[in-house]
């Protein structure tokens, strides 16, 4: 209840809260966060858990208790003082990040970022790790991988993605349609997005879509899933892909067993699996030919400006690739290059190999090596993402894990002939049922690797993803 | 913090929450309500209050502690069990009321209403009273009056209002404009309402306006005041008067001393005073000739449909009076007749003189005596208001007290020549400053009667209000 209260306070802050309310909101969030932490660390919790562990009757109870024990043990490692310090620092750090980004001045963010990294390193020490501090932070989001494993996997991926990206960028530069013509009014986008979201199975009785600066998905209760997107009146696909991405998260949350809400068996297992659901609906579904064969005519009805556009040109526009400085605006094929950069930098920061003062220069230099140019300023560079201001170190890598998992799951799902046939007609009922059965319904009962192995025959690998990128971006299928 | 959390949970429920989330939301609200009640009743609170009372240094501290002591004592009277029972019953009762109203079937609501009345009577017994149980409930909203006093005041008011109403209704029936022509799109109404709300001083940095089935105003933090309204595309004045009314509440909340937030000196004193602020801006400002002399041209710019309407006809439309069954749709002059009816019925219910099963028939009979006809069905009769389903017995009378206070305060304010001159030009900066000084800034430090006496020279009386109604509705000024 306390954690869901914090989620509502946070959702409201991002969507509707008046500007001047921010200080008191930070106090309220800290108040509930502290109490939640205090309860988890309480003697009662200790006794309840011990008593339950002495009385395990089913495999499900065993797994639930293992996961609860893991969370409780992790919470118990962190002193109350540190929780308080962090919960009060983050709203301030977020504010200084917003200011620094608006002015493109990294120096305005340096002090708070240093404090956040210090707290993150302290937390890593509290939790402990085998090889390096960054491992401990990764464990918050993804427990089945170590930094070294990720590093090796990313090292294998990088040159292959660079080749595909290079070809795709060159090909896109000669696209007939470089920009959509005309204007796409927000309320028409909302209508169109709602039709799409409903058609892939998002349940509006148990959810809604609002508008925010940064799209996200959050769960405020067993039957209360909130998505957000943002609108660009010159391009309706921007808000649509936001909705498809967040609805992917939302379908996962809506697919978790409602009766297990509050238990590990009723919660999402990891960010790498969560992101697989969002990327699957955004890219494998939403950027597919068959999806647009169905939805392009409807889009033309909603948006008169689109009627001038040829379908083939539109698809090339959807599949365009371009080296750009901003991660969230980047295309499917260059996306992971952004992630790989962040993984390298934040790992070095947490492991004490890079100083906060050197981030800006190091970012620009590394970015140039991958993308061939330097960001215009820090707002287009190391200040672009909100994550660090919120203390979310270890989070970025899960985006690429999500891409790998998405491809692997999707390719497995369409091995079923009925699902494949439906997907070709842009009908996704069977696909959603398959995802519910293989992913959603397990909650945390299967670890990410077990889940992937059970669903697809192997744990997370890069093969399926590279095959997908190659088909769509090298061979243009 | 806990009470503000409950307010946010409730605001979200009314504005944006998905339908299926209601059960868990009720649990969350009950969880925080119970904890708040437990804290107020705790030993720590007892010791802190006692220690503070031993160490009073200023008159303000004295008044704050007197008010805190009153609230704590009242909370301590109620057993935890009753708080739990009530907090879990209300969401269910609200749901059964919604259903009963939709089907116009009072029987669907009878069981829950009986439970709510039982709880309300138990609370009255816990709190104690001098003359009758209803007095104890009145005290939640208005401490300076007793049921007998109100009854006498209402008995004096009733025949006078009935005469004015009769004349006004007859006059209105020959109005040229019985209905606004054309359509008034919601987003244009929102733009117009926002201009008006800003111009009277509502601060959007510290507040916002949303849309709900029933307009309300709530405070979620020292700088976070949320208003709501509802839209009728055939009449833009419906949402506008909603906004003016709620903004009146909002200006009061925004005018309370921010640094005293959480203390009685930073909180609104009573509903009768609160309602005086909303009714002042809605009726004395928003239904005045000078207001429309300024805003009618802007309204015509926003709403092409209005351009066909003559200004004089529009003013007669604004001032129309009609006997109607629904309180919230009624005009300024018949409004109190609705209140007087509810006061009589709920007083009888709480004092045990009327049975729940007899409400419907008793309502219709009493209504006919005042209004000359019977409501079509229970949805138009005793099921129309949400209050009883939420356990808000003792609340209705404060609407009429608010009308009396509004007239008394407004007439006092415009005795100041500068304010009167500004108001005649539809400029309200001076009026708002006066209200801040005489009403808002005091928080709970002055009792309603003290506040009214200090601001206007006498406690709440009916003279100013009757003068206002007479001027506007008998003499048409």
């Amino acid at each position: 209840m306390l954690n869901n209260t914090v989620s509502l306070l946070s959702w409201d802050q991002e969507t509707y809260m008046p500007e001047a309310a921010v200080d008191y909101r930070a106090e309220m969030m800290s108040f509930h966060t502290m109490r939640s932490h205090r309860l988890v660390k309480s003697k009662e919790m200790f006794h309840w858990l011990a008593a339950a562990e002495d009385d395990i009757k089913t495999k499900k109870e065993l797994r639930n208790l293992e996961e609860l024990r893991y969370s409780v043990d992790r919470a118990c490692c962190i002193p109350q003082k540190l929780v308080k310090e962090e919960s009060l620092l983050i709203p301030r750090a977020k504010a200084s990040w917003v200011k620094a980004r608006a002015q493109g001045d990294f120096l305005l963010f340096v002090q708070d970022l240093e404090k956040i990294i210090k707290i993150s390193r302290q937390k890593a020490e509290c939790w402990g790790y085998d090889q390096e501090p960054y491992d401990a932070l990764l464990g918050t989001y993804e427990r089945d991988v170590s930094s070294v494993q990720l590093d090796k996997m990313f090292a294998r991926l990088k040159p292959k993605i660079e080749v595909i990206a290079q070809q795709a960028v060159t090909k896109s530069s000669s696209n007939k349609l470089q920009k959509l013509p005309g204007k796409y009014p927000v309320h028409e986008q909302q209508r169109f997005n709602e039709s799409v979201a409903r058609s892939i199975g998002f349940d509006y009785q148990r959810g809604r879509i609002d508008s925010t600066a940064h799209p996200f998905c959050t769960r405020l209760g067993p039957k209360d899933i909130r998505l957000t997107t943002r609108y660009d009146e010159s391009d309706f696909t921007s808000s649509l892909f936001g909705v498809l991405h967040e609805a992917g998260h939302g379908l996962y949350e809506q697919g978790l067993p409602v009766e297990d809400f509050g238990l590990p068996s009723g919660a999402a297992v990891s960010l790498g699996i969560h992101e697989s659901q969002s990327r699957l609906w955004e890219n494998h579904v939403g950027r597919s030919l068959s999806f647009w064969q169905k939805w392009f005519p409807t889009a033309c009805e909603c948006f008169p400006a689109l009627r001038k556009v040829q379908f083939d040109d539109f698809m090339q526009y959807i599949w365009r690739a371009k080296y750009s400085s901003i991660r969230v605006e980047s295309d499917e094929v260059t996306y992971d290059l952004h992630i790989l950069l962040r993984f390298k930098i934040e790992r070095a920061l947490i492991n004490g190999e890079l100083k906060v003062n050197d981030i800006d220069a190091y970012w620009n230099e590394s970015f140039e090596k991958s993308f061939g140019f330097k960001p215009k300023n820090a707002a287009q560079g190391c200040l672009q993402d909100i994550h660090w201001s919120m203390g979310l170190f270890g989070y970025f890598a899960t985006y690429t894990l999500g891409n790998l998992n998405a491809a692997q799951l999707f390719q497995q799902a369409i091995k079923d002939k009925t699902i494949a046939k439906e997907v070709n007609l842009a009908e996704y009922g069977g696909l959603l049922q398959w995802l519910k059965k293989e992913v959603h319904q397990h909650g945390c009962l299967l670890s990410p690797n077990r889940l992937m192995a059970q669903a697809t025959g192997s744990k997370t690998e890069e093969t399926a993803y590279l095959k997908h990128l190659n088909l769509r971006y090298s061979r243009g299928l």
Side-chain angles (χ1 to χ4, degrees), chain A:
Chain A
M1 297 253 194
L2 291 165
N3 295 346
N4 290 309
T5 301
V6 174
S7 298
L8 172 63
L9 287 161
S10 170
W11 173 86
D12 179 68
Q13 177 169 5
E14 301 298 328
T15 50
Y16 296 110
M17 190 187 78
E19 259 180 75
V22 66
D23 290 338
Y24 185 67
R25 181 55 53 97
E27 277 185 63
M28 281 175 88
M29 287 171 71
S30 173
F31 171 77
H32 293 296
T33 303
M34 298 275 294
R35 177 155 158 78
S36 168
H37 187 248
R38 217 156 38 229
L39 275 180
V40 169
K41 286 182 84 160
S42 66
K43 267 186 202 157
E44 288 88 339
M45 180 62 99
F46 180 83
H47 292 304
W48 293 333
L49 259 187
E53 282 163 346
D54 283 345
D55 187 35
I56 290 170
K57 290 204 188 65
T58 63
K59 220 174 148 185
K60 184 174 165 184
E61 285 181 6
L62 172 68
R63 283 292 298 129
N64 264 326
L65 279 162
E66 282 173 355
E67 291 295 315
L68 275 174
R69 170 61 72 188
Y70 177 80
S71 313
V72 168
D73 284 353
R74 267 178 82 90
C76 286
C77 296
I78 308 292
Q80 183 86 4
K81 212 179 131 253
L82 202 59
V83 175
K84 187 169 183 178
E85 204 183 321
E86 188 181 28
S87 66
L88 290 171
L89 173 61
I90 281 169
R92 279 208 310 276
K94 218 162 139 184
S96 68
W97 167 74
V98 168
K99 204 173 155 191
R101 195 171 82 140
Q103 302 187 20
D105 184 357
F106 183 62
L107 288 178
L108 295 176
F109 183 45
V110 164
Q111 276 197 325
D112 280 342
L113 184 55
E114 268 169 355
K115 284 183 205 154
I116 283 185
I117 290 173
K118 198 179 148 205
I119 290 176
S120 297
R121 285 167 56 99
Q122 281 176 283
K123 282 164 74 178
E125 294 306 322
C126 295
W127 286 324
Y129 45 85
D130 282 342
Q131 289 167 298
E132 55 186 278
Y134 189 68
D135 281 337
L137 302 183
L138 263 184
T140 309
Y141 311 108
E142 202 64 45
R143 282 163 56 192
D144 274 356
V145 290
S146 70
S147 311
V148 170
Q149 283 172 321
L150 278 180
D151 192 43
K152 280 188 194 156
M153 183 183 263
F154 288 175
R156 288 196 303 271
L157 265 178
K158 199 177 176 219
K160 290 177 185 159
I161 288 181
E162 280 174 343
V163 170
I164 307 172
Q166 188 60 60
Q167 292 171 335
V169 169
T170 309
K171 184 160 171 290
S172 296
S173 66
S174 60
N175 274 0
K176 232 175 91 186
L177 188 69
Q178 293 289 335
K179 199 183 157 313
L180 292 186
K183 219 185 143 188
Y184 303 82
V186 168
H187 64 278
E188 292 297 332
Q189 293 190 41
Q190 287 170 330
R191 268 186 42 205
F192 182 69
N193 294 347
E194 186 174 325
S195 307
V196 174
R198 278 188 200 279
S199 87
I200 65 168
F202 185 71
D203 179 357
Y204 277 78
Q205 287 271 318
R206 296 186 290 150
R208 52 176 291 114
I209 304 182
D210 295 276
S211 165
T212 51
H214 304 271
F216 65 89
C217 168
T218 187
R219 190 184 202 190
L220 306 183
K223 297 177 185 172
D224 192 352
I225 317 296
R226 314 272 175 114
L227 318 180
T228 73
T229 191
R230 59 178 161 194
Y231 299 91
D232 174 353
E233 291 214 318
S234 70
D235 186 348
F236 75 99
T237 66
S238 163
S239 73
L240 174 72
F241 287 124
V243 165
L244 280 167
H245 181 99
E246 303 308 335
H249 287 302
L251 289 171
Y252 185 9
E253 297 283 350
Q254 288 186 341
L256 293 165
V258 164
E259 60 283 9
D260 289 9
F261 184 74
L263 287 173
S265 52
V269 65
S270 81
L271 286 193
I273 297 298
H274 228 310
E275 196 69 12
S276 78
Q277 301 305 292
S278 55
R279 300 298 269 181
L280 188 149
W281 291 100
E282 179 191 0
N283 290 333
H284 296 271
V285 169
R287 286 191 163 87
S288 70
L289 188 63
S290 52
F291 177 86
W292 286 108
Q293 280 166 337
K294 173 170 174 183
W295 286 101
F296 187 73
T298 316
C300 287
E301 273 172 44
C302 285
F303 310 115
L306 195 63
R307 293 173 200 166
K308 296 176 214 154
V309 175
Q310 296 291 317
F311 181 69
D312 290 346
D313 296 338
F314 181 75
M315 284 315 300
Q316 293 310 318
Y317 176 75
I318 292 294
W319 291 333
R320 74 200 177 280
K322 200 185 161 187
Y323 293 119
S324 75
S325 8
I326 306 291
R327 175 183 63 88
V328 293
E329 289 167 10
S330 73
D331 49 81
E332 197 181 357
V333 74
T334 58
Y335 188 89
D336 298 291
L337 301 176
H338 290 275
I339 298 305
L340 271 42
L341 171 73
R342 283 154 183 76
F343 172 72
K344 189 174 78 169
I345 292 179
E346 66 174 29
R347 187 181 178 201
L349 278 171
I350 295 301
N351 293 345
E353 295 147 8
L354 177 65
K355 280 187 189 136
V356 173
N357 273 316
D358 298 332
I359 295 179
D360 196 18
Y362 187 64
W363 179 293
N364 294 341
E365 200 181 294
S366 308
F367 183 86
E368 196 177 13
K369 279 188 203 153
S370 280
F371 290 79
F373 67 99
K374 275 188 180 156
K376 258 191 271 176
N377 55 38
Q380 305 259 313
C382 64
L383 283 175
Q384 67 182 272
D385 293 307
I386 199 172
H387 301 61
W388 294 343
S389 77
M390 297 172 73
L392 304 178
F393 286 92
Y395 191 114
F396 280 120
T398 66
Y399 288 123
T400 290
L401 287 176
N403 283 337
L404 305 184
N405 291 332
Q408 204 166 318
L409 289 166
F410 185 73
Q411 285 171 26
Q412 182 64 37
I414 57 170
K415 282 184 188 162
D416 179 313
K417 293 276 186 294
T418 319
I419 295 177
K421 221 166 133 185
E422 274 185 27
V423 165
N424 270 329
L425 299 167
E427 299 292 338
Y428 305 106
L431 177 62
L432 182 57
Q433 280 314 312
W434 188 88
L435 290 170
K436 268 191 189 152
K437 184 172 140 274
E438 298 294 340
V439 182
H440 307 175
Q441 66 148 345
H442 298 303
C444 291
L445 294 185
L446 299 179
S447 74
N449 273 341
R450 279 284 307 279
L451 184 152
M452 289 303 294
Q454 197 167 302
T456 71
S458 79
K459 60 177 199 172
T460 307
E461 283 182 345
E462 56 267 35
T463 333
Y465 185 50
L466 288 169
K467 182 178 158 198
H468 162 71
L469 290 183
N470 257 311
L471 278 175
R472 186 172 284 174
Y473 292 96
S474 296
R475 301 213 259 143
L477 287 174

